[in-house]
């Protein structure tokens, strides 16, 4: 047995470094490697099993999606557990289980309570080693995957990704979608699927990563007890075909039922371990990561051609792809493509400035630090580095590599790889194929929170958390749906985006780059209830972050010239929602349930209301909202409360005094009656939503509804096991509790084959009626409580999430410490209370039913 520790040299005084993970790797006699990272900050653990096989390793079945199919089948029963016992067993232990398949890996993970790490390993070992691959289960699961393929076909983002892969690669398996091609998938048998497992699911082709509140020697003994007798087998790595270099341009187009056009440019690049990969990653960052990136500034902000645009460099070990992707209105497609090429050419001509390189280094460091905030992030980072490089210190080594880059190296990489004659261009949109080609408890290590009422009446919350050198700033001001009318719907979100267009002290480009240059990020958005302006920075930059956030709030210029472009993008978001069947069904149910109430509207507004908005509407909403009595500021992270108070007092001294815009305790009365509606979309899938009018977030009943949500949304739920597993009527099924200020709704939903709509709706309603009559079973309540607690704990792992949740509870009248009281509230909810709540709100006669069917 060999054990290696990952340690780093001491950091220079004052330097911001990625802390050492102090992880260890132990190799069992059968070749299985076990990586353990002890983190005792929270009583949580992430247990992950990594199989070094993905869609690239399907050999003669390449393009069939066998690796993805195997991932599904490992949840379909073992020699001692049926599917329900797997999901319910994990849920009973407070765990959240999932898996994913990529090109070069399949990862199974459970996140949950550290006290149950042994139980998680027991279940994962059983799944990995003893799954039955029952022929009948496989037949049912293949039908589920076919529906997943149909969903994939309905998504324009997936369509352009798959089209780019097929265009840029001619021989390598990267040209095939991970999920596979339907025609090839239909041909695979149980023997093909099981054969893949026999070849690749061996201990000498796998490793385990465990991060969290564990003791290394004890958890290793548990791993040995479950995986130690897993027999090593002969294993021959798959010989992948070499991808020939691309010496000519390629183009492809795909017609898609959408009102927007998507364009992507792609170039082949070397594999993950190539010496040029750091330069290519930084090049992608500079071109298309964040508001200050070149593509964003030039094509979204200056020329107003793109609704979104980004760049990225992703790789398999042997070969990869440099990709630039954008979305626009169809009329702008040709101009946008030309502009993308011009921005790349400018980078090739002069390269970046040194300040841009410093921004990339800071941003990478900041991103890596945030990865370490959660045990899941730690385990995933360790696993990714081990798979790609065999090093536990991959993050630090990568940072060292990018820190050594020079502008000339970046420029030369752009010239070497982003050649016009080796570029692939793909377009997805309506009629593009015929168009021209050129177109507070013991459970948690929460920070100590202090509440201050500042001299001007503004509430400040400060959470001191010195664990990592990171700081999150959040400001919340009430606005949104409750402050809007049918005529002004969407104005909160529009005005939030207008804040980024300039202040009396800063131009839009300065706003975009100021924090990004230091590895930080700025957020400026709105939802149905509020404005949310904030920043995530590293220790030492919080004063500048507060100054920037205050400047946006106090001194916006709201340039008239930018309003049309902001409105155009919001309308694009509204149009995007109309492409997703589940969203369409949810929105229709919402309009009917909340008819006569403010929440029949969404935060986005409508095409009509957004089109009619004027700059005066934005100014009026901002003026009414940005007042001392209508907001809360929270600062969480590596700070001192007394210092933060002084900084906030200074930054927000000129914030106008004022009262709450939205009254506490206000009730809203709906006018609509339960009924059923049918809508049609040009999609392959069908969706059913059954909604019910409930209560607002201030009502105690909302907590019982949240437990019902937990119990009905998990893979162990009665809905999942009955409708999806036993009857095979759906690809997905679940529930969602929506609790707003003064109003609420509860939705049950199912995605199904159009031929099975009636049966799926009948069974869904039968389950709802049973819930209304009998409530939840004791075991369902127990599992729901444990999974809720696990979710509650996981929400505390980052400064940003804690800053936001405390500010939100304070501003909506529940008090900042409401979050800490929740475990006691949830424990007190009895089965009788859940039955009462279910009977009060659910039942066929109270249902608002929406069906979205193919045309």
């Amino acid at each position: 047995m060999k054990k290696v520790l990952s340690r780093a040299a001491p950091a220079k005084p004052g330097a911001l470094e990625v802390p050492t993970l102090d992880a260890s790797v132990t190799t069992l006699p059968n070749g299985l490697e076990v990586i353990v990272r002890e983190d005792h900050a929270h009583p949580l653990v992430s247990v992950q099993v990594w199989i070094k096989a993905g869609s690239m390793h399907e050999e003669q079945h390449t393009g069939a999606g066998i690796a993805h199919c195997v991932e599904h089948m490992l949840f379909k029963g073992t020699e001692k557990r049926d599917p329900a016992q797997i999901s319910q067993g994990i849920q009973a232990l407070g765990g959240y289980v999932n898996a994913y398949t990529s090109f070069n890996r399949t990862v199974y993970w459970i996140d949950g309570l550290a006290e149950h790490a042994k139980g998680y390993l027991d279940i994962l070992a059983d799944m990995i080693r003893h799954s039955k691959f029952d022929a009948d289960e496989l037949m049912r699961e293949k039908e589920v995957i076919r529906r997943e393929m149909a969903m994939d076909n309905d998504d324009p983002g997936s369509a352009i990704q798959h089209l780019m892969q097929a265009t840029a690669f001619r021989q390598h398996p990267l040209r095939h979608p991970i999920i596979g091609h339907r025609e090839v998938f239909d041909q695979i048998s149980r023997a093909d699927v099981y054969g893949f497992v026999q070849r690749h699911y061996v201990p000498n082709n796998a490793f385990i990563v465990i991060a969290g509140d564990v003791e290394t020697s004890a958890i290793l003994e548990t791993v040995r007890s479950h995986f130690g007798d897993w027999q090593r087998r002969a294993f021959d790595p798959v010989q992948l075909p070499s991808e020939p270099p691309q010496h000519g341009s390629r183009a492809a187009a795909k017609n898609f039922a959408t009102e927007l056009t998507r364009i992507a440019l792609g170039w082949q690049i070397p594999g993950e371990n190539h010496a040029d990969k750091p330069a290519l990653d930084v090049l992608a960052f500079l071109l298309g990561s964040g508001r200050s990136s070149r593509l964003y500034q030039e094509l979204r902000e200056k020329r107003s051609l793109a609704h979104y645009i980004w760049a990225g460099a992703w790789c398999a070990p042997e070969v990869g792809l440099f990709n630039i992707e954008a979305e626009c209105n169809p009329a702008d497609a040709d101009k946008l493509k030309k502009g993308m090429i011009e921005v790349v050419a400018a980078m090739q001509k002069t390269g970046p400035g040194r300040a841009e390189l410093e921004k990339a280094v800071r941003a990478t460091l900041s991103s890596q630090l945030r990865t370490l905030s959660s045990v899941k992030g730690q385990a995933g980072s360790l696993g990714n580095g081990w798979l790609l490089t065999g090093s536990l210190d991959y993050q630090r080594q990568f940072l060292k590599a990018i820190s050594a880059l020079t502008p000339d190296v970046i420029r030369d990489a752009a010239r070497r790889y982003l050649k016009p004659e080796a570029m692939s261009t793909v377009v997805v949109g309506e009629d593009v194929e015929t168009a021209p080609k050129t177109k507070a408890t013991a459970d948690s290590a929460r920070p100590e929170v202090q509440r201050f009422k500042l001299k001007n009446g503004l509430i400040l919350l400060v959470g001191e958390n010195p664990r990592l050198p990171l700081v999150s700033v959040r400001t919340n001001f009430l606005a949104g749906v409750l402050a809007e009318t049918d005529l002004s719907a969407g104005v909160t979100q529009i005005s939030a985006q207008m804040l980024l267009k300039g202040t009396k002290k800063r131009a839009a480009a300065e706003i975009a780059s100021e924090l990004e240059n230091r590895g930080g990020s700025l957020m400026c958005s709105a939802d149905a209830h509020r404005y949310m302006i904030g920043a995530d920075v590293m220790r030492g930059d919080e004063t500048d972050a507060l100054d920037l956030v205050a400047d946006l709030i106090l001194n916006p210029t709201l340039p008239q010239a930018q309003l049309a472009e902001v409105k155009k993008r919001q309308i694009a978001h509204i149009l995007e929602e109309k492409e997703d069947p589940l969203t369409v069904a949810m929105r229709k149910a919402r309009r009917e349930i909340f008819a006569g109430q403010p929440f029949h509207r969404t935060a986005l507004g409508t095409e009509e209301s957004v089109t009619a908005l004027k700059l005066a509407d934005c100014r009026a909403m901002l003026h009414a909202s940005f007042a001392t009595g209508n907001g809360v500021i929270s600062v969480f992270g590596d700070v001192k409360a007394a210092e933060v108070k002084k900084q906030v007092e200074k930054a927000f001294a000129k914030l106008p005094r004022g009262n709450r815009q939205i009254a506490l305790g206000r009730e809203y009365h709906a006018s609509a009656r339960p009924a059923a509606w049918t809508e049609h979309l040009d999609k392959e899938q069908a969706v059913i939503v059954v909604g019910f009018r409930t209560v607002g977030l201030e009502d105690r009943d909302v907590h019982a509804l949240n437990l019902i949500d937990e119990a009905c949304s998990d893979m162990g739920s009665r809905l999942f096991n009955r409708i999806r597993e036993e009857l095979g009527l759906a690809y997905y099924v679940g529930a969602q509790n929506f609790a707003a200020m003064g109003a609420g709704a509860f939705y049950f939903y199912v995605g199904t084959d159009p031929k099975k709509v009636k049966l799926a709706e009948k069974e869904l309603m039968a389950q709802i009626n049973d819930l209304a009559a009998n409530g939840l079973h004791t075991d369902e309540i127990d599992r729901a409580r444990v999974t809720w607690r696990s979710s509650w704990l996981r929400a505390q792992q980052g400064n940003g999430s804690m800053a936001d949740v405390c500010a939100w509870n304070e501003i909506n009248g529940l008090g900042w410490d409401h979050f800490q009281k929740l475990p006691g509230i949830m424990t007190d909810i009895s089965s009788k209370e859940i039955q009462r709540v279910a009977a009060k709100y659910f039942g066929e006669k109270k249902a608002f039913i929406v069906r979205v069917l193919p045309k």
Side-chain angles (χ1 to χ4, degrees), residues 260 291 295-309 327-329 493-494 497-498 500-501 561-576 604 610:
L260 302 172
R291 295 189 182 98
L295 288 164
Y296 187 98
Q297 282 295 309
E298 183 66 27
L299 302 180
R300 188 182 188 274
E301 297 299 286
K302 293 182 181 179
R303 304 192 200 181
S304 296
L305 294 174
H307 297 309
Y308 79 78
I309 190 162
E327 179 187 77
C328 64
N329 289 346
Q493 289 214 353
I494 291 291
Q497 292 305 307
M498 287 294 292
L500 297 169
K501 302 306 177 184
Q562 300 296 320
L563 180 61
E565 179 59 26
V566 172
K567 289 165 59 174
K568 183 171 75 170
R569 293 193 195 105
Q570 186 130 326
I571 290 172
H573 290 315
I574 295 170
L575 295 175
E576 282 181 349
L604 286 174
V610 171

Side-chain angles (χ1 to χ4, degrees), residues 257-536:
T258 176
E259 298 188 50
L260 302 172
T261 298
R262 287 166 176 81
I263 301 173
L265 308 180
W267 294 266
Q268 289 180 14
I269 57 176
E272 185 68 42
N273 293 322
H274 194 277
D276 287 339
K277 184 57 164 55
L280 289 164
D281 277 352
V282 171
L283 175 60
F285 178 91
L286 295 169
L287 284 174
S289 180
R291 295 189 182 98
S292 62
S293 66
R294 293 195 178 191
L295 288 164
Y296 187 98
Q297 282 295 309
E298 183 66 27
L299 302 180
R300 188 182 188 274
E301 297 299 286
K302 293 182 181 179
R303 304 192 200 181
S304 296
L305 294 174
H307 297 309
Y308 79 78
I309 190 162
W310 66 271
W314 57 269
C315 298
E318 308 82 16
V319 68
L321 184 73
F322 193 102
N323 197 44
I324 298 174
E325 186 177 321
E327 179 187 77
C328 64
N329 289 346
D332 294 330
D334 289 339
K335 294 179 182 177
L336 178 57
K337 177 191 170 185
K338 181 181 178 182
M340 293 160 75
I341 295 171
E342 289 172 351
V343 172
V344 170
M347 179 66 80
Q348 291 172 320
K349 182 177 180 180
T350 61
R354 290 197 174 275
E356 287 181 285
L357 273 184
E358 175 63 21
K359 175 177 72 172
V361 172
R362 296 277 294 183
T364 303
L365 175 58
S366 177
S367 174
Q368 291 176 359
L369 285 168
R370 290 189 177 89
T371 298
L372 306 183
S373 296
S374 69
V375 292
K376 180 183 177 183
Q378 293 170 18
S381 178
L382 287 167
N384 186 62
W386 192 253
L387 179 71
L388 296 177
T389 67
S391 170
L392 295 180
D393 205 28
Y394 173 69
Q395 284 187 316
R396 195 182 303 276
Q397 294 170 2
F398 184 79
L399 177 62
K400 182 178 179 181
I402 70 164
S403 298
L405 294 170
T406 66
D408 288 347
V409 171
I410 302 297
R411 180 201 62 200
D412 292 345
R415 292 176 177 177
R416 186 179 306 118
Y417 297 109
L418 309 191
K419 298 177 180 178
E421 65 270 20
M423 180 176 71
S424 295
T425 306
V426 300
V427 182
V428 169
E430 191 170 18
D431 296 328
V432 294
E433 291 183 35
T434 57
K437 297 290 184 183
T438 54
K439 233 175 144 171
T441 70
D443 275 334
S444 171
R446 289 187 307 269
E448 189 68 28
V449 180
Q450 299 182 53
R451 181 184 186 274
F452 303 96
K453 188 170 185 178
L454 305 184
K455 296 175 182 178
N456 61 4
L458 185 65
I459 299 300
L460 168 66
L461 306 175
V462 182
E464 297 183 358
N465 181 14
R467 185 180 178 215
L468 294 170
L470 299 170
V471 181
S472 292
V473 177
R474 296 291 186 269
T475 66
N476 280 226
F477 291 90
L478 288 173
V481 170
L482 294 177
E484 297 171 352
T485 67
D486 286 352
L487 294 178
S488 66
V491 68
T492 305
Q493 289 214 353
I494 291 291
S495 53
Q497 292 305 307
M498 287 294 292
L499 295 177
L500 297 169
K501 302 306 177 184
T503 70
K504 295 176 182 178
K505 296 196 301 181
R506 294 173 171 91
E510 294 176 273
I511 294 170
S513 63
E514 184 167 336
L515 297 184
E516 288 186 4
N517 287 345
R518 303 176 185 183
S521 63
L522 175 69
M523 61 171 294
C524 187
S525 61
D527 63 13
H529 289 101
R530 55 185 167 156
Y531 288 102
M532 297 171 289
I533 303 100
D536 294 300

Side-chain angles (χ1 to χ4, degrees), residues 78 218 236 288 344 425-426 517 568 629 650 708 716 752 791 845:
T78 70
D236 292 326
V344 170
T425 306
V426 300
N517 287 345
K568 183 171 75 170
K650 179 180 179 181
I708 294 172
T752 185
S791 176
K845 293 182 179 180

Side-chain angles (χ1 to χ4, degrees), residues 1 28-30 32 34 80 117-126 129-130 208 210 216-231:
M1 181 177 69
L28 303 188
N30 60 4
L32 180 67
V34 186
K80 67 177 182 179
K118 293 182 179 180
Y120 302 153
L121 281 165
D122 177 30
I123 295 174
L124 284 174
D126 194 29
R129 299 183 56 195
H130 305 300
I208 296 174
I210 302 169
T216 301
S217 60
I219 203 67
L220 282 174
E221 285 305 311
T222 302
V223 172
R224 290 188 185 97
S225 68
H226 292 297
F227 291 92
D229 61 347
W230 190 10
Q231 187 175 2

Side-chain angles (χ1 to χ4, degrees), residues 626-697:
F626 289 160
T628 57
N630 196 52
V632 172
I633 296 180
S634 55
V635 181
F636 280 56
D638 191 7
V639 296
K640 298 297 183 184
E643 295 176 8
V644 169
K645 182 183 177 185
K646 293 178 182 178
Q647 293 167 340
V648 174
E649 288 269 20
K650 179 180 179 181
F652 290 88
K654 295 182 180 180
L655 184 68
R657 293 180 179 270
N659 300 320
R660 288 177 61 93
Q661 179 163 205
I662 297 165
L664 283 173
R666 181 177 177 184
E667 293 184 0
Y668 300 91
H669 300 284
S671 59
R673 295 182 178 181
W677 298 265
T678 300
E679 307 228 337
H680 295 275
L681 286 181
D682 188 14
K683 303 291 182 181
E684 295 184 28
Q685 59 182 304
V687 171
I688 304 161
V689 169
V690 180
F692 299 91
R693 190 179 295 129
T694 58
V695 289
L697 54 83

